Amino acid sequence: MEISGGIQASLSGRYAVALFDLARDANSLDAVAESLAALKGAATESPDFKDLITSPVLSRDAAGKTIAAVASSMGIDPLTTKFLGVLAQNRRLAQLPAIIRAYETLLSNHKGEARAEVTSAHALSKTQITALQKSLKARVGRNVAVDAKVDPAILGGLVVKIGSQMIDSSIRTRLNSLALAMKG
């Protein structure tokens, strides 16, 4: 499989490629993806977890032991747990969010699907995400994995990024356009 040069060019990308290759060889791509999704959620929802992965004060051993305990309590798969240990030993836990994004991109490419980053003012329901995936599939011609984010600042509507394409139907953008037109 050919890996995007852009992903390999970054430090986090090289770690993601290594994890992806190990997971593919062990037939555990989806198990690793589930573990990484859980870690991604923890990084956004738990200030303690975010402090753990970003703290420069923790020693390598302390970070390694703590991340191993956290991984065990979260039910993280063995390969991802070992990978987290390597990140801790190399003082690269702060790269975890970028590594997760790169891994998700690699997995989507492997499955032949596009990846869309969708920002909405309120959390989308499963039904809304499914309908959005169906609509995006019709537009891009292949399955689309949706990475949903919430940003109340857009007021309403959606901002969808697929690769270098961006579809901005947010109310904030519409209001800004209207304000510019009125200044005219």
Side-chain angles (χ1 to χ4, degrees), residues 22-170:
L22 289 170
R24 187 181 55 211
D25 293 347
N27 282 335
S28 59
L29 287 170
D30 291 331
V32 169
E34 288 174 21
S35 293
L36 292 178
L39 291 166
K40 183 179 185 178
T44 57
E45 295 169 12
S46 170
D48 291 337
F49 185 77
K50 190 170 188 168
D51 288 345
L52 167 66
I53 63 173
T54 59
S55 174
V57 179
L58 284 175
S59 70
R60 293 172 197 253
D61 289 337
K65 288 176 184 171
T66 306
I67 200 72
V70 168
S72 175
S73 71
M74 290 178 68
I76 301 299
D77 74 282
L79 178 59
T80 306
T81 301
K82 287 180 189 173
F83 181 74
L84 291 171
V86 169
L87 290 179
Q89 284 303 309
N90 293 340
R91 292 197 146 305
R92 300 286 189 231
L93 281 174
Q95 293 289 318
L96 188 59
I99 291 168
I100 293 170
R101 281 191 304 276
Y103 183 90
E104 290 170 340
T105 300
L106 291 167
L107 186 60
S108 290
N109 289 342
H110 178 73
K111 291 180 174 182
E113 61 187 16
R115 184 150 209 88
E117 182 180 301
V118 177
T119 305
S120 60
H122 304 285
L124 299 175
S125 69
K126 296 277 186 200
T127 308
Q128 290 170 321
I129 290 175
T130 303
L132 181 61
Q133 284 174 317
K134 198 180 278 187
S135 175
L136 291 172
K137 181 179 180 179
R139 184 179 179 115
V140 299
R142 57 185 175 156
N143 288 337
V144 177
V146 172
D147 182 18
K149 294 181 181 179
V150 175
D151 181 4
I154 70 168
L155 303 176
L158 296 174
V159 177
V160 180
K161 293 178 189 172
I162 302 176
S164 62
Q165 275 188 326
M166 184 165 110
I167 305 162
D168 188 344
S169 67
S170 67

